[in-house]
Amino acid sequence: METSEIIKKVRKIEIKTRGLSSNIFAGQYHTAFKGRGMAFSEVREYQYGDDVRDIDWNVTARFNRPYVKVFEEERELTVMLLIDVSGSLDFGTRQQMKRDMAVEIAATLAFSAIENNDKIGVVFFSDKIEKYIPPKKGRKHILYIIREMLDFHPESRKTDVAGALEFLTGVAKRRCTAFILSDFYVRQSFLQQLTIANRKHDVCAIQVYDRRATELPKVGLMKVVDAETGYEQYVDTSSRKVRQAYQQYWLDRQRDLKETFAKSGVDSVSIATDDDYVKQLMMLFKLRA
């Protein structure tokens, strides 16, 4: 992609997603993703029922009366975006590709975060960690992230969600809010890694999918290609059994995915490429309020 074309796309995405973040999401985001750390605020005299472990012994000694430290919730967050850049995201039969939808959602979340003075970091993953951008604040940093998302060329086309979650657990030392954006087109379980990551951090899952993945059209013989492995085969879509099997495969995958999120305690939302993602994200935020 030409540099001038990238700049135009970055600007277009900024105008759209920054407006959404400022006007729609700011309050909802603030409520849904509160700070989880506790920061020292002040000292006051000890009252019956206070935790003796909070006594400030230096102040107590100075005034000859017991004083305790008062803590308040630390509002500033670190937000990590785990973005799937595998080959299966390069697909779309409706308004846009899954990858384009993921970029817009990620940008919207990023601008929502800086509206609340939070830091943003990004992990691009396939079946390995393709790139890690450490958390920082500010518009300049977000525009860099969007530019990278638009013009990123992964070395691998396969997917390993478990590996991305393990990387998050290792690289983020303090508790953070993490959004994992993927179509979750995976063949191996990542329940254990997701559970561990969600114990340490606050993880949300955003599935991006295309409606063509849910059912086959009746168009006769069709060549289908696995975007991650390159495997090709012809499918007779005029066969009702074939179409039913395809649909059942999708339903089974979605059931397993929902079970994984439920067992790990992770909030999630599924967004189609022709969905209003604003509405879907608002539902996710309200779920957590």
Side-chain angles (χ1 to χ4, degrees), residues 28-270:
Q28 290 282 350
Y29 172 93
H30 182 97
T31 303
F33 303 100
K34 300 181 180 72
R36 295 299 191 268
M38 300 302 289
F40 171 72
S41 175
E42 59 183 352
V43 294
R44 62 165 170 76
E45 281 196 61
Y46 177 86
Q47 297 173 2
Y48 177 76
D50 285 337
D51 192 331
V52 294
R53 291 173 296 182
D54 291 336
I55 291 176
D56 188 318
W57 294 107
N58 290 329
V59 178
T60 297
R62 192 181 310 151
F63 290 100
N64 239 356
R65 296 191 303 275
Y67 277 78
V68 293
K69 295 177 182 179
V70 178
F71 295 85
E72 63 181 13
E73 189 176 54
E74 199 173 24
R75 174 59 203 117
E76 182 179 297
L77 293 175
T78 295
V79 177
M80 293 296 299
L81 303 176
L82 279 66
I83 302 173
D84 184 349
V85 293
S86 63
S88 62
L89 273 289
D90 292 323
F91 180 77
T93 62
R94 301 297 175 102
Q95 293 181 7
Q96 58 187 332
M97 303 274 248
K98 288 187 282 184
R99 189 179 306 282
D100 296 331
M101 173 71 87
V103 169
E104 279 201 23
I105 293 170
T108 302
L109 292 170
F111 279 117
S112 296
I114 64 165
E115 285 286 327
N116 285 275
N117 202 36
D118 297 334
K119 294 179 182 177
I120 298 286
V122 176
V123 177
F124 292 120
F125 72 94
S126 54
D127 61 345
K128 63 180 183 176
I129 303 305
E130 296 275 355
K131 184 165 188 165
Y132 170 55
I133 302 175
K136 283 185 183 178
K137 293 182 183 180
R139 173 178 175 270
K140 186 177 178 181
H141 179 61
I142 289 180
L143 294 181
Y144 166 66
I145 288 171
I146 295 172
R147 190 167 63 246
E148 285 295 296
M149 287 192 289
L150 286 171
D151 199 41
F152 191 78
H153 302 286
E155 292 181 8
S156 174
R157 295 186 64 80
K158 297 180 180 179
T159 314
D160 181 8
V161 173
L165 291 165
E166 286 178 351
F167 180 81
L168 171 70
T169 303
V171 77
K173 302 304 179 186
R174 293 183 61 189
R175 185 175 177 86
C176 71
T177 294
F179 296 93
I180 180 162
L181 286 89
S182 174
D183 56 4
F184 295 99
Y185 188 78
V186 294
R187 293 173 175 82
Q188 70 276 18
S189 171
F190 55 92
L191 173 61
Q192 182 182 358
Q193 293 82 359
L194 185 60
T195 303
I196 292 170
N198 197 43
R199 282 176 188 159
K200 183 177 180 182
H201 305 293
D202 181 14
V203 182
C204 289
I206 300 175
Q207 181 192 29
V208 178
Y209 71 97
D210 189 272
R211 294 196 192 279
R212 184 55 65 219
T214 67
E215 59 181 3
L216 282 174
K218 188 178 179 181
V219 294
L221 205 59
M222 174 191 287
K223 183 169 81 169
V224 294
V225 182
D226 188 314
E228 299 197 358
T229 65
Y231 176 75
E232 299 180 3
Q233 71 175 107
Y234 282 90
V235 176
D236 183 8
T237 63
S238 61
S239 167
R240 178 193 265 182
K241 285 185 178 180
V242 168
R243 294 198 307 275
Q244 286 178 339
Y246 183 89
Q247 188 175 45
Q248 191 59 51
Y249 173 71
W250 163 260
L251 293 172
D252 290 345
R253 273 189 57 217
Q254 289 301 102
R255 183 199 63 228
D256 292 344
L257 192 59
K258 286 180 180 178
E259 284 182 5
T260 295
F261 295 145
K263 287 178 180 177
S264 58
V266 166
D267 293 322
S268 66
V269 65
S270 294

